Amino acid sequence: MSNLYVVPTPIGNLGDMTERAIETLNNCDLILAEDTRHTLKLLNHFNIKTKMISYHKFNEKQRSEEIIQKITDEGINVALVTDAGTPCISDPGYELVKEARERGIEVIGLTGASALTTALSISGIETFEFAFYGFLPRKKSELDGALKRVLNNPVKTFVFYESPKRIISLIENIKIHMPNSTLCVCKELTKIHEKTFYGSAKSVIEQLKNHGILFDKLIKNGYSLKEAVNEAAEEGIASKNEAYKASLDIKKIIESF
């Protein structure tokens, strides 16, 4: 019987690829990939030669119908992957899984990497129940409305996804709507440059800004560790102690290249 396999892939560290995921991708007849160029690197790393075609948010509807027909007519096994993490979790896949379910095709999920559960596990925030919202709207008026709806949810642990370019703006809005909240911002999970920022919204904003400013001083300006710390303290960006701690983290990143 033909199956559709939903296969998680590493969110950064290739060591998180499971043996079952490798075996499934090897044994399937076709792999659907969000970005074939990105997934090809993963397949090459694990010497997987299975045929691959694109499946992303721009062709999801059309491609789903084609793939379901192919599974039905040819009796093939298909694996669905996205660029990182688990398909269908703020990633393409819903249309295909829904259509497969409705057509009686067996859908089999594999366990594996997920930014959502990884972040929750290290957050230090209560996780007995939580609400996942994915990416919130970008427009200020829509974002305000979304945050007000979040506040009305009886579940008080929330998970959002956000671009690094917009993260400070999001937290500034959270500070307005949820001034007493505790945040844990997770960056580059499982990667060499992994970093978390924990505390109140105000504290996390300061940590993120200090991290970015110190990085610029050390990299773009070519400062020594001592020079970057002293200048940050003189400019009132952070205390010497805070600047020193942040600069040590950045130094580790620099030395890892």
Side-chain angles (χ1 to χ4, degrees):
M1 184 177 177
S2 301
N3 298 318
L4 169 64
Y5 293 88
V6 178
V7 183
T9 54
I11 58 176
N13 191 320
L14 289 176
D16 292 335
M17 188 74 167
T18 68
E19 289 185 15
R20 188 182 177 206
I22 296 169
E23 181 182 357
T24 300
L25 294 179
N26 263 316
N27 293 338
C28 278
D29 302 293
L30 180 66
I31 296 171
L32 307 180
E34 184 179 7
D35 184 334
T36 54
R37 295 166 299 180
H38 180 92
T39 300
L40 182 60
K41 296 175 185 177
L42 179 76
L43 300 186
N44 287 341
H45 181 84
F46 292 104
N47 197 31
I48 297 169
K49 305 299 183 183
T50 306
K51 180 182 177 181
M52 174 177 56
I53 62 173
S54 67
Y55 180 90
H56 47 71
K57 66 180 181 180
F58 300 109
N59 70 359
E60 187 171 5
K61 188 73 175 177
Q62 176 191 346
R63 189 70 96 188
S64 293
E65 295 171 0
E66 294 172 4
I67 296 304
I68 293 301
Q69 197 63 47
K70 198 172 182 66
I71 293 173
T72 304
D73 292 347
E74 301 177 22
I76 63 172
N77 288 306
V78 175
L80 171 67
V81 301
T82 49
D83 289 349
T86 303
C88 302
I89 310 300
S90 279
D91 273 328
Y94 159 73
E95 293 284 352
L96 181 62
V97 171
K98 178 176 179 290
E99 188 69 21
R101 289 286 182 199
E102 292 178 351
R103 295 285 290 273
I105 296 169
E106 188 72 21
V107 181
I108 299 173
L110 278 64
T111 60
S114 168
L116 169 63
T117 53
T118 302
L120 279 167
S121 71
I122 65 171
S123 67
I125 295 170
E126 186 177 295
T127 57
F128 292 108
E129 58 178 6
F130 62 89
F132 175 58
Y133 289 89
F135 288 92
L136 296 180
R138 296 186 187 185
K139 290 183 179 179
K140 182 69 167 63
S141 58
E142 294 177 2
L143 176 59
D144 286 343
L147 289 173
K148 286 175 183 175
R149 288 192 295 274
V150 170
L151 270 174
N152 289 328
N153 192 328
V155 176
K156 295 307 176 187
T157 294
F158 316 121
V159 183
F160 306 134
Y161 283 169
E162 188 52 281
S163 158
K165 295 179 181 178
R166 297 191 298 272
I167 187 64
I168 290 178
S169 175
L170 172 62
I171 299 172
E172 285 174 341
N173 280 280
I174 290 174
K175 185 175 71 170
I176 294 169
H177 291 277
M178 311 172 194
N180 299 318
S181 58
T182 298
L183 279 63
C184 182
V185 174
C186 302
K187 168 182 175 287
E188 301 285 318
L189 286 172
T190 79
K191 300 177 184 178
I192 295 172
H193 308 151
E194 179 174 338
K195 178 71 177 170
T196 56
F197 306 87
Y198 176 86
S200 66
K202 180 182 177 182
S203 171
V204 169
I205 289 170
E206 290 174 355
Q207 292 173 52
L208 287 166
K209 287 181 176 179
N210 293 345
H211 188 78
I213 291 169
L214 281 164
F215 193 91
D216 284 348
K217 290 183 182 299
L218 286 165
I219 301 295
K220 294 181 180 178
N221 299 340
Y223 285 7
S224 68
L225 195 68
K226 185 177 180 181
E227 288 171 334
V229 169
N230 286 339
E231 186 162 311
E234 287 172 5
E235 292 175 1
I237 295 167
S239 69
K240 275 197 174 183
N241 188 45
E242 291 170 335
Y244 182 69
K245 284 181 180 178
S247 61
L248 284 179
D249 289 333
I250 296 167
K251 187 170 182 283
K252 288 178 185 176
I253 294 172
I254 296 168
E255 291 174 346
S256 69
F257 286 105

